[in-house]
Amino acid sequence: MSAPKPEIRTFLCRSDNIGVLIRDPATGACAAIDVPEAGPVLAALDEAGWTLTDILVTHRHGDHVEGIPEVKRRTGARVTAPLKAGDAVPDVDATVAEGDVVRVGDLVARVWETPGHCADHVTYWFEAAGVIFAGDTLFTLGCGRVMEAEPATLWRSLERFLPLPDETQVYSGHDYVLSNARFALAAEPGNAALAARAAEAERARAEGRFLIPTTLGAERATNPFLRAGEPSLTQGVDLAPGTQPSVVFAALRAWKNRF
Ligand SMILES: [Zn+2]
């Protein structure tokens, strides 16, 4: 039996948050990944004719959870949130931690704890479907800000993405692709695949699209934060050849903060 293929819709919330719905066509179960804002999530459900059964929360920041009370009141969806978020996420029904499994109908996700952006951050990996919801850990051409840890903590979280198959689809919590592309080009000016991708990002923005999802293969080839182990990035931050990737990563992250 082949794995069920999910249906997925993305849409803009607030100014640069990405709303996502994932639905199992076999059972009709449907989850929102975070609820940055109730209105766009309810509108997307309406438009698709889908019934929300679950809300999967990646982390406790307000721009990911503010819409939960209204959406829960309107749909009755069950709210699953990181255990480490404590009581910062409203209306939680179930908590998850490293290695837990969550189900959306017949779709199965494994929970990774991916701290760094914040201490409670989790990532939902639907392995059989080849889809991962990275929240504010990994962005198209970028990564989250380090807010509650040493940079090496976020690097260790990002390292977990590296072995995933090329075609894995990565959904992130924000569309920062243009500023990320500008930084990536500064950090690794000789990367031809990156130059092509930056041009694609400009085109997408002009046409009102965002480059989400991205694929792990594309990120491995172009995202400077996943490429901290490459000699070209070590050189990009003026560190000695052979410097540990976590140190290169910290230098890249510090540079991006002032970029
Ligand atoms: Zn956040």
Side-chain angles (χ1 to χ4, degrees), residues 164-250:
L164 296 180
D166 272 353
E167 61 277 13
T168 306
Q169 297 204 300
V170 184
Y171 289 81
S172 51
H174 291 269
D175 175 26
Y176 295 144
V177 68
L178 283 187
S179 65
N180 286 345
R182 281 193 279 269
F183 174 74
L185 284 168
E188 199 182 17
N191 183 334
L194 169 59
R197 204 122 186 280
E200 190 192 351
E202 299 276 358
R203 255 194 329 274
R205 175 55 59 92
E207 292 164 8
R209 295 182 287 117
F210 33 79
L211 293 189
I212 295 170
T214 179
T215 65
L216 225 289
E219 293 309 307
R220 259 196 302 265
T222 59
N223 185 325
F225 296 102
L226 285 187
R227 294 172 59 73
E230 298 290 324
S232 51
L233 271 305
T234 309
Q235 196 186 347
V237 290
D238 287 330
L239 286 168
T243 300
Q244 284 202 358
S246 64
V247 176
V248 175
F249 174 81

Side-chain angles (χ1 to χ4, degrees), residues 59 61 63-64 117-118 121 136 147 174:
H59 65 296
H61 287 162
D63 63 322
H64 292 257
H117 172 66
C118 58
H121 201 297
D136 288 1
M147 297 170 77
H174 291 269

Side-chain angles (χ1 to χ4, degrees), residues 41-181:
V41 171
L42 294 169
L45 285 164
D46 247 15
E47 191 187 306
W50 294 353
T51 302
L52 196 71
T53 54
D54 290 274
I55 294 169
L56 305 181
V57 176
T58 63
H59 65 296
R60 71 181 195 282
H61 287 162
D63 63 322
H64 292 257
V65 305
E66 256 173 36
I68 289 175
E70 185 180 347
V71 169
K72 185 172 171 72
R73 195 163 59 241
R74 303 271 288 268
T75 63
R78 170 187 152 90
V79 179
T80 299
L83 176 66
K84 288 182 178 163
D87 56 9
V89 178
D91 299 339
V92 173
D93 297 296
T95 57
V96 288
E98 175 67 34
D100 283 347
V101 163
V102 297
R103 286 168 205 282
V104 179
D106 293 339
L107 304 173
V108 178
R110 189 163 293 280
V111 176
W112 290 356
E113 290 186 350
T114 49
H117 172 66
C118 58
D120 56 295
H121 201 297
V122 301
T123 290
Y124 295 94
W125 181 33
F126 289 80
E127 180 178 7
V131 175
I132 194 159
F133 295 99
D136 288 1
T137 297
L138 176 63
F139 295 133
T140 303
L141 289 177
C143 72
R145 274 179 187 272
V146 177
M147 297 170 77
E148 293 174 0
E150 294 300 313
T153 301
L154 182 54
W155 169 248
R156 277 193 297 277
S157 294
L158 289 170
E159 268 188 313
R160 299 185 67 174
F161 290 79
L162 288 173
L164 296 180
D166 272 353
E167 61 277 13
T168 306
Q169 297 204 300
V170 184
Y171 289 81
S172 51
H174 291 269
D175 175 26
Y176 295 144
V177 68
L178 283 187
S179 65
N180 286 345

